[in-house]
Structure formats: C-alpha cells, structure tokens
Amino acid sequence: MRFNHVCYEYNVHYAFYPFHDRIAPLVRLSAKWLDAMTVLFCKRIVLKSLFEESYIGAMKVKNRFIRSATWENMTTEDGHMTDKLYDIYQELAEGEVGLIITGYANIVEEEQPNPGMMGIYDDSFINEYKKLTSIVHDSDSKIVMQLAYGGTKTTHNVGSRIIFAPSEVPERGTQTLGKAMTKEEIDYIVDAFAKAAGRAKDAGFDGVEIHGAHTYLINQFLSPYYNQREDEYGGSLENRIRFLLEIYTQMRSVVGDDFPILVKLTASEFFEGGLTFEETRSICKTLERIGVDGIEISGNIHGKAKEMVGESYDGYTIQEEGYFLEYGKVISNEVSVPVITVGGLSDINTIEDIANDTNIQYFAIARPLLSEPGLIKRWKEGDRTPGQCERCSKCRTRRGNFCVVYNKR
C-alpha cells in the first residue's frame, strides 16, 4: 500500500503526495511503518472534514452533525412556542450543531399524538417560527422542521378524536385502533402536509423532513402489517408507497425545487410480517429518483434498544454505537443522496470511523444533546470525550423532555 493509495481511501488522495516524495528519501523507514503513519495522519484529516461545509440539496451545512428530531414536550397546549423552547434551540445552535431538526410538528389541528409538541397546522405559527429560525441562523446553524401525522402510535386523548390509519389494525405498542381512511381523507392529509411545508418555508426554515418512520401514519401505509387495503394504496410496495409519494409531490409543488425535503424512514420493522429492509432499500431508490434531498435511516426500537443490541434482522445487526449503522451503510452504497444515520451515537471516535469506512454523510444525535447541548462544540475544540448521556431513557418527564441527570431544567 502506497501513500497516495492510502490517502485515496481516506478522501484526500494526492493532496499530500508531494509531501511524501520529500519525506521518503530523508527517512529510512519500512514501507509498512510509513503506511501505518499515513493512515493515522489521513484519519486526522477526515476528522477535520466532520467540521467542514457540505450540502444537503441546496442547503449548506457547516458540519456533519445533526440534532435528530426530539419531542421536547414544552410548547403551549395548542403547540405554540414558549421561552423555554426558544432557549433550547439557542443552546443547540450556540453548541455548534450544524443542522437542527425540530421535534415533530402536527400538520392538522385535530391530531396531536403527544402533548407539548410543536404545531404547524395554520398560519398563526409563522411569525413565532420566524423568531426561532432567526435565533438558529444567528449562530450559523441550519434548522429543518419535521412534519408528521402520528396516527395510532399514541395514547394521548384517545377516544376524544378521530385517528386516521391505513387499515383497522391496532398499533402493536399502544393497541390504539384507528379509522381506515377514505380517499377523501387521504387527499386531506396529503394537502395538509403540503400546506405545512409551505408555512415552514415562509417562516424561514431551511427545509422540512417528512416523518415516515416509527409506526406513524406514513410508516403504516408502507407496512404490509398495518396496511391491509385492497385499493391503489395497498397490496404491492408500489401501492403502499403511493401515499408518501403523493405527499412529496404535492409538497414539492408548494415549496419549489430548491427547498430541501428530507425523509425519515424505518430501516426495518424488526418483526415478522412488517416492513423489511429489502423493501426500505427499494423505497430509498424511489425517493432518490423523484428528487428527495436526504434520507434519515432510523428504527422503531424506543425503550428496547439495550436488549435489541446484537440482534440481527433481515441479515444485519443492531449495533451498540450506531444502532442502524449496518442498514445505513448498505443504503448509502445504493443511492447518491445524503444518508443520515441516527441512534446510539455518542462517541466521536466511532463517528469518525463510520465516516472513514462508509458512504454515510451525516450523523444525527438526540439524547446526548439533551444532556449536553454543547457536545459538538466541545468535540470541535478538541475534547474528544464521549457524550455524557447515560442512555437511561429517563429524559421524558411531566415538565418536559430533558436530561434529569446532567441538564436539569
């Protein structure tokens, strides 16, 4: 292995080749030792690249770190901003997070799957979100709003509202049963997603993310377990993806070609009869073809991650550091749009290795930033100690979602 070959593997190629030509004649070292030193040197270059600018569609991001969408449970009852919530986003932006994805926002007023979640269901939110996006932009960070319809993945106010679902199949965790949607109701939700994206753009957000994971409504349409329909929205994967594609297409017609639209997907549903990884791979290729700007690969293992680490599903294994890394790695080799991995990331050394060894381009972090909003800044300044999050999953409290160990509020 020669110097130029090693550096090609670590994304710097010939940049330091002349440097090698000067050094090699001066020191009589074995080629093996020189190559080992080269690998270490080039890895440091890649580490710096985690803090270099890159693009998700037309959106320039200052580093490769993303705050994954995190439900804060700190809005007013009807989903409007509070001072406490503004402060959280300011801390994240000042902490050098390159891209912040908001907690999921409900797109229709009558559907709020959890209390204290952000709203984007009418124009009354636009001005307060202009303040939010300005706060984030003042620190040279970017902010994307996550848009969602929760559906039956809820126990909040069940019985007091109509909850839509693709079919009358209860959600496995909550056991909540929804109403099978008519074509008119499907059109209503598709239109609501598109209008919500338009409001987000008007409010100064740098993009939106469609939440198609975690057994929320879009995920259920994709799933052969939850989607038992016999019309054009059910049966084959081509039909099951139709709801998501209609949302994207109408959303794109509202926001234009240059406004980034990301999609969050479940790698696999991790149970027999559910959405498989092979199907998710096919969905990602379709999303690439129609113009989606980024894909975040996640999984519905809330509260079960510790016991599921090491288990294999669809031929790939859930990792302790980077739960869905193996799934994201495969997809990143098959599509050209940026792939984001999320789940169980708290060690910059591991993140650096993933950046070296895969085509995954972005790294989304949630709970570690609840305990330490300045984590990315600390890493940037040279302190490579892993995030202090204990992974205790006690961050959901009655007073909001925050770290009860290190960052009490």
Side-chain angles (χ1 to χ4, degrees):
M1 187 185 293
R2 294 273 59 81
F3 186 91
N4 59 324
H5 177 66
V6 175
C7 282
Y8 180 81
E9 290 184 341
Y10 289 96
N11 301 320
V12 290
H13 198 28
Y14 289 106
F16 293 90
Y17 189 75
F19 180 75
H20 165 254
D21 285 344
R22 295 174 191 159
I23 293 295
L26 300 178
V27 291
R28 298 188 179 280
L29 302 170
S30 70
K32 184 176 181 180
W33 186 91
L34 183 59
D35 285 340
M37 292 298 100
T38 299
V39 169
L40 292 175
F41 180 67
C42 289
K43 277 192 174 185
R44 290 185 63 83
I45 297 298
V46 172
L47 172 61
K48 289 182 180 178
S49 78
L50 294 174
F51 295 95
E52 290 177 353
E53 293 178 346
S54 59
Y55 284 85
I56 300 176
M59 174 174 55
K60 183 165 69 174
V61 185
K62 67 181 177 182
N63 60 47
R64 301 281 179 171
F65 295 101
I66 295 175
R67 196 294 288 260
S68 185
T70 307
W71 167 50
E72 297 96 355
N73 190 14
M74 291 184 183
T75 67
T76 64
E77 186 175 343
D78 54 359
H80 286 275
M81 292 293 293
T82 60
D83 290 341
K84 186 182 292 187
L85 201 48
Y86 282 123
D87 290 344
I88 285 175
Y89 282 88
Q90 184 168 353
E91 287 179 357
L92 290 167
E94 291 176 348
E96 294 287 351
V97 177
L99 169 61
I100 301 168
I101 302 178
T102 69
Y104 59 173
N106 58 312
I107 58 166
V108 290
E109 185 174 8
E110 66 273 18
E111 199 274 339
Q112 189 184 51
N114 273 309
M117 66 179 288
M118 301 168 77
I120 190 66
Y121 52 80
D122 64 33
D123 291 350
S124 68
F125 292 93
I126 293 175
N127 283 337
E128 63 196 70
Y129 286 146
K130 284 182 178 179
K131 176 180 176 181
L132 173 63
T133 56
S134 177
I135 287 171
V136 171
H137 292 154
D138 283 347
S139 292
D140 194 30
S141 293
K142 296 296 193 296
I143 183 166
V144 159
M145 172 160 270
Q146 187 184 79
L147 307 177
Y149 185 100
T152 59
K153 181 68 178 293
T154 184
T155 56
H156 180 58
N157 288 340
V158 173
S160 64
R161 57 192 174 97
I162 294 174
I163 300 174
F164 291 146
S167 307
E168 292 187 0
V169 178
E171 205 278 329
R172 286 165 60 95
T174 65
Q175 290 301 302
T176 298
L177 185 67
K179 176 189 181 297
M181 298 171 74
T182 65
K183 180 63 170 71
E184 290 72 23
E185 289 164 341
I186 289 173
D187 291 343
Y188 167 64
I189 294 301
V190 168
D191 185 62
F193 267 103
K195 288 178 177 176
R199 294 184 193 106
K201 182 178 181 180
D202 290 343
F205 285 95
D206 300 290
V208 293
E209 181 177 67
I210 301 170
H211 199 334
H214 301 175
T215 323
Y216 294 136
L217 183 63
I218 295 173
N219 187 171
Q220 289 190 358
F221 266 88
L222 297 173
S223 169
Y225 177 86
Y226 290 106
N227 186 344
Q228 302 292 318
R229 301 177 72 95
E230 297 180 353
D231 61 4
E232 68 268 34
Y233 293 94
S236 67
L237 181 59
E238 181 182 4
N239 283 351
R240 285 183 276 126
I241 198 177
R242 191 182 306 276
F243 181 53
L244 171 58
L245 298 188
E246 288 181 354
I247 289 170
Y248 171 81
T249 300
Q250 191 154 333
M251 189 178 285
R252 180 61 77 194
S253 71
V254 171
V255 300
D257 292 338
D258 296 331
F259 189 69
I261 300 176
L262 289 68
V263 176
K264 187 170 188 172
L265 293 173
T266 292
S268 166
E269 287 195 296
F270 305 119
F271 62 81
E272 191 69 29
L275 183 74
T276 67
F277 181 52
E278 194 66 29
E279 290 176 314
T280 297
R281 290 167 68 180
S282 179
I283 292 167
C284 289
K285 293 172 187 176
T286 299
L287 294 178
E288 175 192 30
R289 187 174 67 252
I290 65 174
V292 164
D293 296 289
I295 301 171
E296 184 177 5
I297 299 300
S298 185
N300 185 29
I301 61 173
H302 300 304
K304 301 177 290 185
K306 284 185 178 180
E307 53 262 41
M308 291 181 70
V309 165
E311 294 183 4
S312 295
Y313 298 87
D314 299 336
Y316 301 91
T317 303
I318 296 175
Q319 304 293 305
E320 182 172 3
E321 185 78 20
Y323 300 145
F324 315 109
L325 164 61
E326 291 194 357
Y327 302 94
K329 179 178 179 180
V330 171
I331 292 170
S332 72
N333 289 330
E334 296 179 338
V335 300
S336 60
V337 299
V339 170
I340 304 161
T341 188
V342 62
L345 294 170
S346 60
D347 187 341
I348 192 172
N349 296 309
T350 299
I351 294 171
E352 180 182 346
D353 288 341
I354 297 170
N356 290 339
D357 299 337
T358 77
N359 290 321
I360 294 171
Q361 295 191 38
Y362 294 92
F363 306 93
I365 299 171
R367 288 180 301 173
L369 292 173
L370 288 177
S371 63
E372 192 178 359
L375 176 62
I376 307 306
K377 183 178 182 180
R378 173 163 68 75
W379 283 345
K380 181 181 179 181
E381 292 174 348
D383 182 349
R384 296 166 60 89
T385 307
Q388 59 189 9
C389 174
E390 303 288 352
R391 300 189 183 182
C392 62
S393 293
K394 295 180 180 178
C395 29
R396 292 186 177 182
T397 80
R398 290 172 295 177
R399 294 181 291 115
N401 297 333
F402 56 88
C403 180
V404 299
V405 180
Y406 297 110
N407 192 25
K408 300 177 181 179
R409 293 186 178 275

